[in-house]
């Protein structure tokens, strides 16, 4: 459901965006749907070459399920504040779209599945090297249990100490909310550290 | 409505892929004043976006998905409508995605949800 058109002169709500990244099947769509007030949006129309955007997920029983490459959700926080979540397409060949989704983003969550850490290597690389958007890493606990110590995961990902790493359950609303709060808190800290750094630079001149 | 499969995006947008406005996927769009005569002159895709933007405030991404118009085409068409004064955008509100006042409000809003 859309908002009623704003009366003349009334400013439009503020909209904030968080990007949810990671490889195929790590739980991006699940995370977005756990908190979104709109159903996962059918994004087939998003691209002119829809057939190229379908990700195949091979499940353990060899069944192939397909999910559309990118999805987004929305959370209305108040009458004048909306939060949008955008899941990235899984394939690394959609870098341009990652750049597009990251433009103007306030934070990002890279989801990893400890059974297939390598599925999210490209996403971690991207956020470390190719964008200024601050990110955290969320370890999606597929069966609700933590099978790997977070330290091991950090080590395996060669993740800098400055990047928060937390466990989450992509199916659980509370857990997802906590993950998003962690991401934005991290963005605030990075932004304030950057601002302090700039001040320091100015002061030393 | 769905996008017209017989019209390539190139034709719809005159080959342009960039717009003057900064239209993020989460930029909010609204058409407060609906002009039926103007709408009647628009191509179906632009008309569909214009009408939907009048029905309520939605993001660029939602307008694209709900009108069945590819994202790139949606951006160009919305950019034209905005340049012609037919739309309001909240783009200027997003000059810094790290504005601490905004981020703190989002964090508090999320905590209230949990
Ligand atoms: N058991 C369990 N299954 C999950 C969890 N998160 C996702 N899944 C399943 O894993 C599959 C892939 O998840 P999906 O959200 O589509 O991944 P995406 O490709 O990153 O969007 C789906 O069948 C989900 O139902 C989880 O936390 N626990
Ligand atoms: Mg998905």
């Amino acid at each position: 459901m859309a908002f009623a058109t704003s009366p003349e002169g009334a400013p439009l709500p503020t909209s904030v965006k968080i990007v949810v990244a990671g490889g195929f099947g790590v739980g991006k769509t699940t995370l977005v749907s756990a908190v979104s007030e709109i159903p996962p949006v059918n994004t087939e129309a998003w691209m002119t070459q829809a057939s190229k955007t379908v990700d195949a997920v091979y499940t353990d029983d060899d069944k192939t399920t397909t999910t559309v490459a990118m999805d987004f959700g929305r959370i209305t926080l108040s009458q004048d504040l909306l939060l949008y979540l955008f899941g990235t397409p899984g394939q690394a060949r959609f870098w341009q779209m990652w750049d597009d989704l990251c433009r103007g983003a306030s934070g990002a969550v890279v989801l990893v599945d400890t059974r297939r850490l390598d599925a999210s290597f490209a996403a971690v690389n991207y956020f470390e090297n190719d964008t200024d958007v601050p990110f955290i890493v969320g370890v999606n606990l597929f069966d609700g249990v933590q099978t790997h110590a977070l330290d091991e995961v950090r080590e395996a990902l060669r993740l800098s100490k400055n990047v928060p790493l937390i466990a989450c359950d992509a199916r659980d609303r509370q857990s997802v909310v906590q993950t998003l709060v962690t991401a934005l808190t991290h963005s605030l800290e990075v932004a304030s550290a950057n601002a302090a750094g700039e001040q320091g630079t100015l002061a030393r001149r | 409505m769905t996008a017209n499969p017989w019209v390539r995006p190139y034709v719809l947008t005159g080959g342009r892929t960039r717009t003057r406005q900064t239209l993020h996927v989460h930029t909010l769009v609204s058409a407060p004043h609906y002009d039926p005569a103007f709408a009647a002159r628009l191509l179906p895709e632009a008309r569909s976006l214009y009408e939907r933007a009048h029905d309520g405030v939605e993001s660029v991404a939602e307008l694209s998905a709900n009108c069945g118009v590819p994202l790139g085409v949606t951006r160009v068409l919305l950019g034209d409508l905005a340049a012609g004064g037919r739309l309001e955008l909240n783009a200027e509100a997003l000059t810094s995605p790290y504005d601490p006042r905004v981020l703190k409000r989002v964090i508090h809003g999320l905590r209230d949800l949990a």
Side-chain angles (χ1 to χ4, degrees):
Chain A
M1 193 199 72
F3 274 67
T5 301
S6 60
E8 193 174 359
L12 289 174
T14 298
S15 51
V16 168
K17 172 174 65 183
I18 295 177
V19 173
V20 182
F24 290 159
V26 294
K28 301 179 297 292
T29 303
T30 306
L31 182 146
V32 172
S33 10
V35 289
S36 178
E37 68 201 18
I38 52 175
V41 175
N42 178 343
T43 58
E44 249 173 88
W46 273 38
M47 306 218 278
T48 44
Q49 299 159 293
S51 63
K52 289 195 174 173
T53 72
V54 177
D55 294 347
V57 175
Y58 297 93
T59 50
D60 289 342
D61 52 1
D62 261 12
K63 223 178 65 192
T64 306
T65 53
T66 54
T67 57
V68 178
M70 174 171 39
D71 26 42
F72 63 89
R74 184 185 70 200
I75 307 172
T76 302
L77 295 171
S78 70
Q79 238 180 346
D80 62 348
L81 188 60
L82 297 180
L83 175 63
Y84 284 94
L85 302 178
F86 280 83
T88 58
Q91 292 104 319
R93 59 195 157 97
F94 291 123
W95 288 132
Q96 271 185 331
M97 201 177 279
W98 287 51
D99 289 342
D100 183 29
L101 291 177
C102 284
R103 217 168 292 130
S106 295
V109 177
V110 175
L111 277 182
V112 302
D113 172 356
T114 50
R115 298 167 302 180
R116 301 179 299 119
L117 269 189
D118 58 324
S120 293
F121 284 171
V124 172
N125 285 342
Y126 178 86
F127 281 93
E128 275 183 344
N129 303 313
D130 299 327
T131 172
D132 292 330
V133 177
F135 74 106
I136 67 164
V137 173
V139 178
N140 189 12
L141 303 179
F142 266 80
D143 295 303
V145 286
Q146 201 161 327
T147 48
H148 295 261
L150 290 181
D151 282 350
E152 287 176 47
V153 178
R154 181 181 291 281
E155 172 69 16
L157 289 174
R158 300 277 184 273
L159 202 61
S160 138
K161 287 194 301 291
N162 306 324
V163 178
L165 174 75
I166 59 166
C168 72
D169 184 334
R171 296 164 301 177
D172 181 68
R173 180 183 163 90
Q174 301 258 45
S175 176
V176 171
V177 165
Q178 186 50 50
T179 303
L180 300 176
V181 166
T182 304
L184 292 179
T185 305
H186 179 57
S187 294
L188 266 177
E189 284 164 5
V190 170
S192 98
N194 286 347
E198 270 163 35
Q199 295 257 312
T201 310
L202 290 176
R204 265 178 267 121
R205 276 194 193 146
Chain B
M1 72 166 272
T2 53
N4 181 346
W6 299 103
V7 180
R8 278 193 304 137
Y10 182 88
V11 178
L12 283 174
T13 62
R16 287 164 300 137
T17 56
R18 301 205 170 272
T19 58
R20 279 153 285 187
Q21 329 277 342
T22 312
L23 284 174
H24 294 133
V25 284
H26 64 296
T27 295
L28 297 177
V29 179
S30 146
H33 311 286
Y34 184 74
D35 176 349
F38 171 73
R41 293 196 300 272
L42 294 169
L43 285 170
E45 285 77 6
R47 191 187 312 143
S48 161
L49 292 166
Y50 178 58
E51 284 170 355
R52 178 117 193 155
H54 178 66
D55 292 339
V57 178
E58 273 185 343
S59 62
V60 171
E62 285 166 293
L63 284 167
S64 164
N66 290 326
C67 295
V69 179
L71 187 60
V73 178
T74 297
R75 275 209 173 98
V76 173
L77 296 178
L78 291 178
D80 285 352
L81 289 167
R86 300 289 178 169
L87 298 179
E88 282 180 20
L89 308 173
N90 77 338
E92 70 291 342
L94 283 159
T95 42
S96 170
Y98 311 121
D99 182 331
R101 284 164 308 178
V102 174
L103 292 191
K104 282 175 187 166
R105 286 189 60 213
V106 176
I107 289 169
H108 289 143
L110 282 170
R111 289 218 174 102
D112 288 346
L113 277 187

